mmCIF file of all heavy atoms in Angstrom:
data_model
loop_
_atom_site.group_PDB
_atom_site.id
_atom_site.type_symbol
_atom_site.label_atom_id
_atom_site.label_comp_id
_atom_site.label_asym_id
_atom_site.label_seq_id
_atom_site.Cartn_x
_atom_site.Cartn_y
_atom_site.Cartn_z
ATOM 1 N N GLY A 212 -33.167 126.453 -0.813
ATOM 2 C CA GLY A 212 -33.638 125.159 -1.292
ATOM 3 C C GLY A 212 -33.459 125.094 -2.801
ATOM 4 O O GLY A 212 -33.502 126.123 -3.485
ATOM 5 N N THR A 213 -33.244 123.883 -3.321
ATOM 6 C CA THR A 213 -33.082 123.722 -4.771
ATOM 7 C C THR A 213 -33.758 122.442 -5.237
ATOM 8 O O THR A 213 -33.851 121.461 -4.496
ATOM 9 C CB THR A 213 -31.590 123.654 -5.173
ATOM 10 O OG1 THR A 213 -30.908 122.721 -4.328
ATOM 11 C CG2 THR A 213 -30.916 125.006 -5.067
ATOM 12 N N THR A 214 -34.223 122.479 -6.471
ATOM 13 C CA THR A 214 -34.721 121.281 -7.142
ATOM 14 C C THR A 214 -33.972 121.150 -8.460
ATOM 15 O O THR A 214 -33.611 122.157 -9.082
ATOM 16 C CB THR A 214 -36.237 121.349 -7.395
ATOM 17 O OG1 THR A 214 -36.519 122.375 -8.361
ATOM 18 C CG2 THR A 214 -37.001 121.657 -6.117
ATOM 19 N N HIS A 215 -33.741 119.901 -8.879
ATOM 20 C CA HIS A 215 -32.887 119.660 -10.039
ATOM 21 C C HIS A 215 -33.535 118.677 -11.012
ATOM 22 O O HIS A 215 -33.917 117.567 -10.614
ATOM 23 C CB HIS A 215 -31.533 119.083 -9.600
ATOM 24 C CG HIS A 215 -30.921 119.780 -8.425
ATOM 25 N ND1 HIS A 215 -30.321 121.013 -8.518
ATOM 26 C CD2 HIS A 215 -30.835 119.409 -7.121
ATOM 27 C CE1 HIS A 215 -29.884 121.382 -7.322
ATOM 28 N NE2 HIS A 215 -30.188 120.428 -6.459
ATOM 29 N N TYR A 216 -33.653 119.096 -12.260
ATOM 30 C CA TYR A 216 -34.020 118.167 -13.324
ATOM 31 C C TYR A 216 -32.719 117.594 -13.855
ATOM 32 O O TYR A 216 -31.877 118.322 -14.398
ATOM 33 C CB TYR A 216 -34.814 118.879 -14.428
ATOM 34 C CG TYR A 216 -35.011 118.022 -15.650
ATOM 35 C CD1 TYR A 216 -35.558 116.746 -15.558
ATOM 36 C CD2 TYR A 216 -34.613 118.477 -16.912
ATOM 37 C CE1 TYR A 216 -35.718 115.940 -16.669
ATOM 38 C CE2 TYR A 216 -34.779 117.695 -18.038
ATOM 39 C CZ TYR A 216 -35.322 116.427 -17.913
ATOM 40 O OH TYR A 216 -35.476 115.627 -19.025
ATOM 41 N N LEU A 217 -32.547 116.278 -13.684
ATOM 42 C CA LEU A 217 -31.278 115.632 -14.022
ATOM 43 C C LEU A 217 -31.286 114.966 -15.384
ATOM 44 O O LEU A 217 -30.252 114.440 -15.820
ATOM 45 C CB LEU A 217 -30.936 114.588 -12.945
ATOM 46 C CG LEU A 217 -30.892 115.118 -11.506
ATOM 47 C CD1 LEU A 217 -30.681 113.966 -10.531
ATOM 48 C CD2 LEU A 217 -29.812 116.173 -11.342
ATOM 49 N N GLY A 218 -32.445 114.975 -16.069
ATOM 50 C CA GLY A 218 -32.537 114.347 -17.376
ATOM 51 C C GLY A 218 -32.179 112.873 -17.301
ATOM 52 O O GLY A 218 -32.603 112.150 -16.401
ATOM 53 N N GLN A 219 -31.359 112.422 -18.246
ATOM 54 C CA GLN A 219 -30.902 111.031 -18.248
ATOM 55 C C GLN A 219 -29.414 110.916 -17.897
ATOM 56 O O GLN A 219 -28.809 109.862 -18.068
ATOM 57 C CB GLN A 219 -31.167 110.410 -19.623
ATOM 58 C CG GLN A 219 -32.650 110.261 -19.950
ATOM 59 C CD GLN A 219 -32.887 109.625 -21.305
ATOM 60 O OE1 GLN A 219 -32.191 109.934 -22.280
ATOM 61 N NE2 GLN A 219 -33.877 108.749 -21.386
ATOM 62 N N ASN A 220 -28.836 112.013 -17.400
ATOM 63 C CA ASN A 220 -27.407 112.008 -17.091
ATOM 64 C C ASN A 220 -27.034 110.912 -16.101
ATOM 65 O O ASN A 220 -26.068 110.160 -16.298
ATOM 66 C CB ASN A 220 -26.973 113.371 -16.543
ATOM 67 C CG ASN A 220 -27.048 114.457 -17.591
ATOM 68 O OD1 ASN A 220 -27.172 114.168 -18.784
ATOM 69 N ND2 ASN A 220 -26.979 115.713 -17.172
ATOM 70 N N PHE A 221 -27.779 110.820 -15.011
ATOM 71 C CA PHE A 221 -27.475 109.813 -13.996
ATOM 72 C C PHE A 221 -28.060 108.453 -14.367
ATOM 73 O O PHE A 221 -27.511 107.414 -13.983
ATOM 74 C CB PHE A 221 -27.969 110.279 -12.623
ATOM 75 C CG PHE A 221 -27.150 111.399 -12.050
ATOM 76 C CD1 PHE A 221 -27.451 112.722 -12.356
ATOM 77 C CD2 PHE A 221 -26.059 111.134 -11.241
ATOM 78 C CE1 PHE A 221 -26.687 113.764 -11.850
ATOM 79 C CE2 PHE A 221 -25.283 112.168 -10.725
ATOM 80 C CZ PHE A 221 -25.591 113.490 -11.030
ATOM 81 N N SER A 222 -29.158 108.453 -15.116
ATOM 82 C CA SER A 222 -29.729 107.175 -15.564
ATOM 83 C C SER A 222 -28.741 106.423 -16.453
ATOM 84 O O SER A 222 -28.560 105.203 -16.318
ATOM 85 C CB SER A 222 -31.023 107.422 -16.340
ATOM 86 O OG SER A 222 -32.010 107.963 -15.504
ATOM 87 N N LYS A 223 -28.099 107.140 -17.353
ATOM 88 C CA LYS A 223 -27.132 106.491 -18.242
ATOM 89 C C LYS A 223 -25.856 106.112 -17.502
ATOM 90 O O LYS A 223 -25.251 105.070 -17.776
ATOM 91 C CB LYS A 223 -26.827 107.406 -19.425
ATOM 92 C CG LYS A 223 -28.017 107.562 -20.371
ATOM 93 C CD LYS A 223 -27.711 108.504 -21.528
ATOM 94 C CE LYS A 223 -28.909 108.604 -22.483
ATOM 95 N NZ LYS A 223 -28.658 109.543 -23.608
ATOM 96 N N ALA A 224 -25.469 106.940 -16.539
ATOM 97 C CA ALA A 224 -24.256 106.636 -15.781
ATOM 98 C C ALA A 224 -24.442 105.432 -14.867
ATOM 99 O O ALA A 224 -23.503 104.662 -14.636
ATOM 100 C CB ALA A 224 -23.837 107.855 -14.962
ATOM 101 N N PHE A 225 -25.675 105.249 -14.353
ATOM 102 C CA PHE A 225 -25.912 104.182 -13.382
ATOM 103 C C PHE A 225 -26.912 103.141 -13.879
ATOM 104 O O PHE A 225 -27.452 102.372 -13.095
ATOM 105 C CB PHE A 225 -26.359 104.800 -12.056
ATOM 106 C CG PHE A 225 -25.285 105.646 -11.436
ATOM 107 C CD1 PHE A 225 -25.267 107.025 -11.632
ATOM 108 C CD2 PHE A 225 -24.267 105.063 -10.709
ATOM 109 C CE1 PHE A 225 -24.262 107.805 -11.087
ATOM 110 C CE2 PHE A 225 -23.251 105.839 -10.161
ATOM 111 C CZ PHE A 225 -23.244 107.208 -10.359
ATOM 112 N N ASP A 226 -27.158 103.157 -15.183
ATOM 113 C CA ASP A 226 -27.931 102.106 -15.836
ATOM 114 C C ASP A 226 -29.342 101.965 -15.268
ATOM 115 O O ASP A 226 -29.809 100.861 -14.989
ATOM 116 C CB ASP A 226 -27.184 100.771 -15.733
ATOM 117 C CG ASP A 226 -27.534 99.830 -16.889
ATOM 118 O OD1 ASP A 226 -27.814 100.341 -17.993
ATOM 119 O OD2 ASP A 226 -27.523 98.608 -16.686
ATOM 120 N N ILE A 227 -30.017 103.101 -15.103
ATOM 121 C CA ILE A 227 -31.409 103.071 -14.645
ATOM 122 C C ILE A 227 -32.274 102.908 -15.895
ATOM 123 O O ILE A 227 -32.663 103.887 -16.543
ATOM 124 C CB ILE A 227 -31.786 104.350 -13.875
ATOM 125 C CG1 ILE A 227 -30.789 104.601 -12.737
ATOM 126 C CG2 ILE A 227 -33.211 104.240 -13.321
ATOM 127 C CD1 ILE A 227 -30.997 105.915 -12.005
ATOM 128 N N LYS A 228 -32.559 101.660 -16.247
ATOM 129 C CA LYS A 228 -33.309 101.356 -17.464
ATOM 130 C C LYS A 228 -34.583 100.590 -17.111
ATOM 131 O O LYS A 228 -34.641 99.895 -16.098
ATOM 132 C CB LYS A 228 -32.466 100.523 -18.434
ATOM 133 C CG LYS A 228 -31.294 101.267 -19.035
ATOM 134 C CD LYS A 228 -30.641 100.482 -20.156
ATOM 135 C CE LYS A 228 -29.956 99.230 -19.653
ATOM 136 N NZ LYS A 228 -29.141 98.581 -20.712
ATOM 137 N N PHE A 229 -35.576 100.728 -17.981
ATOM 138 C CA PHE A 229 -36.821 99.992 -17.770
ATOM 139 C C PHE A 229 -37.359 99.516 -19.119
ATOM 140 O O PHE A 229 -37.090 100.124 -20.161
ATOM 141 C CB PHE A 229 -37.859 100.870 -17.066
ATOM 142 C CG PHE A 229 -38.336 102.043 -17.879
ATOM 143 C CD1 PHE A 229 -39.531 101.981 -18.592
ATOM 144 C CD2 PHE A 229 -37.591 103.220 -17.947
ATOM 145 C CE1 PHE A 229 -39.971 103.055 -19.343
ATOM 146 C CE2 PHE A 229 -38.029 104.307 -18.693
ATOM 147 C CZ PHE A 229 -39.226 104.221 -19.404
ATOM 148 N N THR A 230 -38.091 98.434 -19.076
ATOM 149 C CA THR A 230 -38.771 97.939 -20.270
ATOM 150 C C THR A 230 -40.122 98.626 -20.365
ATOM 151 O O THR A 230 -40.964 98.507 -19.475
ATOM 152 C CB THR A 230 -38.978 96.422 -20.210
ATOM 153 O OG1 THR A 230 -37.692 95.790 -20.047
ATOM 154 C CG2 THR A 230 -39.630 95.913 -21.484
ATOM 155 N N ASP A 231 -40.326 99.394 -21.429
ATOM 156 C CA ASP A 231 -41.555 100.177 -21.581
ATOM 157 C C ASP A 231 -42.703 99.297 -22.092
ATOM 158 O O ASP A 231 -42.519 98.122 -22.421
ATOM 159 C CB ASP A 231 -41.298 101.347 -22.539
ATOM 160 C CG ASP A 231 -42.215 102.534 -22.251
ATOM 161 O OD1 ASP A 231 -43.147 102.374 -21.446
ATOM 162 O OD2 ASP A 231 -41.980 103.600 -22.834
ATOM 163 N N LYS A 232 -43.871 99.904 -22.192
ATOM 164 C CA LYS A 232 -45.067 99.174 -22.631
ATOM 165 C C LYS A 232 -44.896 98.604 -24.036
ATOM 166 O O LYS A 232 -45.516 97.598 -24.378
ATOM 167 C CB LYS A 232 -46.288 100.092 -22.593
ATOM 168 C CG LYS A 232 -46.668 100.546 -21.194
ATOM 169 C CD LYS A 232 -47.852 101.509 -21.237
ATOM 170 C CE LYS A 232 -48.199 102.006 -19.846
ATOM 171 N NZ LYS A 232 -49.335 102.964 -19.864
ATOM 172 N N ASP A 233 -44.056 99.249 -24.859
ATOM 173 C CA ASP A 233 -43.845 98.775 -26.228
ATOM 174 C C ASP A 233 -42.753 97.704 -26.316
ATOM 175 O O ASP A 233 -42.380 97.273 -27.412
ATOM 176 C CB ASP A 233 -43.505 99.944 -27.154
ATOM 177 C CG ASP A 233 -42.251 100.706 -26.706
ATOM 178 O OD1 ASP A 233 -41.575 100.241 -25.757
ATOM 179 O OD2 ASP A 233 -41.966 101.766 -27.300
ATOM 180 N N GLY A 234 -42.222 97.301 -25.144
ATOM 181 C CA GLY A 234 -41.205 96.259 -25.124
ATOM 182 C C GLY A 234 -39.784 96.760 -25.282
ATOM 183 O O GLY A 234 -38.841 95.985 -25.163
ATOM 184 N N ALA A 235 -39.623 98.056 -25.537
ATOM 185 C CA ALA A 235 -38.287 98.623 -25.731
ATOM 186 C C ALA A 235 -37.666 99.004 -24.386
ATOM 187 O O ALA A 235 -38.359 99.411 -23.452
ATOM 188 C CB ALA A 235 -38.371 99.854 -26.629
ATOM 189 N N GLN A 236 -36.356 98.859 -24.302
ATOM 190 C CA GLN A 236 -35.644 99.286 -23.100
ATOM 191 C C GLN A 236 -35.287 100.762 -23.215
ATOM 192 O O GLN A 236 -34.746 101.211 -24.231
ATOM 193 C CB GLN A 236 -34.371 98.458 -22.900
ATOM 194 C CG GLN A 236 -34.607 97.103 -22.259
ATOM 195 C CD GLN A 236 -33.497 96.742 -21.278
ATOM 196 O OE1 GLN A 236 -32.324 97.023 -21.521
ATOM 197 N NE2 GLN A 236 -33.875 96.132 -20.164
ATOM 198 N N LYS A 237 -35.591 101.514 -22.157
ATOM 199 C CA LYS A 237 -35.363 102.958 -22.169
ATOM 200 C C LYS A 237 -34.721 103.387 -20.852
ATOM 201 O O LYS A 237 -34.906 102.741 -19.817
ATOM 202 C CB LYS A 237 -36.688 103.696 -22.366
ATOM 203 C CG LYS A 237 -37.393 103.360 -23.678
ATOM 204 C CD LYS A 237 -38.748 104.054 -23.780
ATOM 205 C CE LYS A 237 -39.457 103.679 -25.076
ATOM 206 N NZ LYS A 237 -40.804 104.285 -25.185
ATOM 207 N N TYR A 238 -33.983 104.492 -20.927
ATOM 208 C CA TYR A 238 -33.424 105.076 -19.715
ATOM 209 C C TYR A 238 -34.481 105.951 -19.037
ATOM 210 O O TYR A 238 -35.228 106.669 -19.695
ATOM 211 C CB TYR A 238 -32.197 105.926 -20.031
ATOM 212 C CG TYR A 238 -30.975 105.102 -20.384
ATOM 213 C CD1 TYR A 238 -30.558 104.976 -21.713
ATOM 214 C CD2 TYR A 238 -30.247 104.463 -19.389
ATOM 215 C CE1 TYR A 238 -29.441 104.221 -22.031
ATOM 216 C CE2 TYR A 238 -29.115 103.705 -19.709
ATOM 217 C CZ TYR A 238 -28.733 103.594 -21.022
ATOM 218 O OH TYR A 238 -27.620 102.839 -21.351
ATOM 219 N N GLY A 239 -34.507 105.894 -17.695
ATOM 220 C CA GLY A 239 -35.420 106.749 -16.951
ATOM 221 C C GLY A 239 -34.949 108.191 -16.941
ATOM 222 O O GLY A 239 -33.808 108.511 -17.308
ATOM 223 N N HIS A 240 -35.844 109.061 -16.523
ATOM 224 C CA HIS A 240 -35.540 110.493 -16.366
ATOM 225 C C HIS A 240 -35.633 110.807 -14.874
ATOM 226 O O HIS A 240 -36.637 110.492 -14.234
ATOM 227 C CB HIS A 240 -36.524 111.342 -17.160
ATOM 228 C CG HIS A 240 -36.457 111.106 -18.637
ATOM 229 N ND1 HIS A 240 -35.811 111.953 -19.506
ATOM 230 C CD2 HIS A 240 -36.946 110.096 -19.402
ATOM 231 C CE1 HIS A 240 -35.910 111.493 -20.741
ATOM 232 N NE2 HIS A 240 -36.601 110.364 -20.699
ATOM 233 N N THR A 241 -34.602 111.422 -14.325
ATOM 234 C CA THR A 241 -34.540 111.595 -12.873
ATOM 235 C C THR A 241 -34.537 113.063 -12.468
ATOM 236 O O THR A 241 -34.249 113.961 -13.271
ATOM 237 C CB THR A 241 -33.287 110.918 -12.285
ATOM 238 O OG1 THR A 241 -32.106 111.586 -12.743
ATOM 239 C CG2 THR A 241 -33.226 109.445 -12.685
ATOM 240 N N MET A 242 -34.875 113.273 -11.199
ATOM 241 C CA MET A 242 -34.817 114.613 -10.600
ATOM 242 C C MET A 242 -34.489 114.443 -9.120
ATOM 243 O O MET A 242 -34.643 113.359 -8.552
ATOM 244 C CB MET A 242 -36.130 115.374 -10.776
ATOM 245 C CG MET A 242 -37.370 114.743 -10.174
ATOM 246 S SD MET A 242 -37.615 115.019 -8.386
ATOM 247 C CE MET A 242 -37.829 116.790 -8.301
ATOM 248 N N SER A 243 -34.026 115.516 -8.503
ATOM 249 C CA SER A 243 -33.750 115.491 -7.070
ATOM 250 C C SER A 243 -34.027 116.861 -6.483
ATOM 251 O O SER A 243 -34.143 117.861 -7.209
ATOM 252 C CB SER A 243 -32.300 115.071 -6.789
ATOM 253 O OG SER A 243 -31.384 116.026 -7.307
ATOM 254 N N PHE A 244 -34.135 116.904 -5.157
ATOM 255 C CA PHE A 244 -34.422 118.182 -4.493
ATOM 256 C C PHE A 244 -33.946 118.107 -3.045
ATOM 257 O O PHE A 244 -33.875 117.020 -2.458
ATOM 258 C CB PHE A 244 -35.920 118.518 -4.552
ATOM 259 C CG PHE A 244 -36.826 117.457 -3.970
ATOM 260 C CD1 PHE A 244 -37.293 117.547 -2.671
ATOM 261 C CD2 PHE A 244 -37.218 116.365 -4.735
ATOM 262 C CE1 PHE A 244 -38.134 116.581 -2.136
ATOM 263 C CE2 PHE A 244 -38.066 115.387 -4.208
ATOM 264 C CZ PHE A 244 -38.521 115.487 -2.911
ATOM 265 N N GLY A 245 -33.595 119.261 -2.456
ATOM 266 C CA GLY A 245 -33.097 119.230 -1.088
ATOM 267 C C GLY A 245 -33.136 120.577 -0.390
ATOM 268 O O GLY A 245 -32.983 121.633 -1.009
ATOM 269 N N VAL A 246 -33.385 120.509 0.915
ATOM 270 C CA VAL A 246 -33.198 121.648 1.824
ATOM 271 C C VAL A 246 -32.414 121.140 3.022
ATOM 272 O O VAL A 246 -32.355 119.941 3.276
ATOM 273 C CB VAL A 246 -34.526 122.275 2.302
ATOM 274 C CG1 VAL A 246 -35.329 122.843 1.150
ATOM 275 C CG2 VAL A 246 -35.357 121.268 3.110
ATOM 276 N N SER A 247 -31.832 122.050 3.785
ATOM 277 C CA SER A 247 -30.957 121.646 4.875
ATOM 278 C C SER A 247 -31.192 122.488 6.116
ATOM 279 O O SER A 247 -32.062 123.367 6.154
ATOM 280 C CB SER A 247 -29.487 121.779 4.437
ATOM 281 O OG SER A 247 -29.110 123.145 4.413
ATOM 282 N N THR A 248 -30.354 122.221 7.139
ATOM 283 C CA THR A 248 -30.396 123.015 8.365
ATOM 284 C C THR A 248 -30.033 124.474 8.101
ATOM 285 O O THR A 248 -30.162 125.308 9.000
ATOM 286 C CB THR A 248 -29.436 122.425 9.417
ATOM 287 O OG1 THR A 248 -28.237 121.956 8.785
ATOM 288 C CG2 THR A 248 -30.076 121.271 10.148
ATOM 289 N N ARG A 249 -29.629 124.791 6.893
ATOM 290 C CA ARG A 249 -29.430 126.197 6.502
ATOM 291 C C ARG A 249 -30.726 126.995 6.688
ATOM 292 O O ARG A 249 -30.688 128.218 6.901
ATOM 293 C CB ARG A 249 -28.972 126.239 5.046
ATOM 294 C CG ARG A 249 -28.912 127.623 4.441
ATOM 295 C CD ARG A 249 -28.390 127.573 3.029
ATOM 296 N NE ARG A 249 -26.946 127.696 3.040
ATOM 297 C CZ ARG A 249 -26.252 128.352 2.102
ATOM 298 N NH1 ARG A 249 -26.853 128.901 1.088
ATOM 299 N NH2 ARG A 249 -24.947 128.434 2.175
ATOM 300 N N LEU A 250 -31.876 126.320 6.615
ATOM 301 C CA LEU A 250 -33.149 127.007 6.817
ATOM 302 C C LEU A 250 -33.234 127.663 8.194
ATOM 303 O O LEU A 250 -33.911 128.681 8.362
ATOM 304 C CB LEU A 250 -34.320 126.036 6.634
ATOM 305 C CG LEU A 250 -34.649 125.612 5.207
ATOM 306 C CD1 LEU A 250 -35.775 124.590 5.199
ATOM 307 C CD2 LEU A 250 -35.024 126.815 4.335
ATOM 308 N N ILE A 251 -32.562 127.068 9.183
ATOM 309 C CA ILE A 251 -32.570 127.691 10.508
ATOM 310 C C ILE A 251 -31.824 129.016 10.463
ATOM 311 O O ILE A 251 -32.241 130.012 11.059
ATOM 312 C CB ILE A 251 -31.975 126.734 11.559
ATOM 313 C CG1 ILE A 251 -32.804 125.446 11.622
ATOM 314 C CG2 ILE A 251 -31.916 127.403 12.932
ATOM 315 C CD1 ILE A 251 -32.254 124.398 12.560
#
């Protein structure tokens, strides 16, 4: 099994932006994780 901190690499590539409480537009920070039938 693995978990991944992706930083803003995919946010910048796919324009995952949000308007923050201060009114500024910022890129999100993403992560992912996965396990498979390899566990069997």
Side-chain angles (χ1 to χ4, degrees):
T213 48
T214 67
H215 315 285
Y216 170 53
L217 305 174
Q219 293 181 319
N220 292 346
F221 288 87
S222 295
K223 291 179 178 179
F225 296 96
D226 207 32
I227 307 174
K228 292 190 293 189
F229 66 98
T230 303
D231 208 350
K232 295 177 182 179
D233 59 7
Q236 279 218 322
K237 299 176 182 177
Y238 287 104
H240 297 259
T241 66
M242 60 82 64
S243 64
F244 56 97
V246 298
S247 75
T248 38
R249 172 177 270 216
L250 286 177
I251 300 176

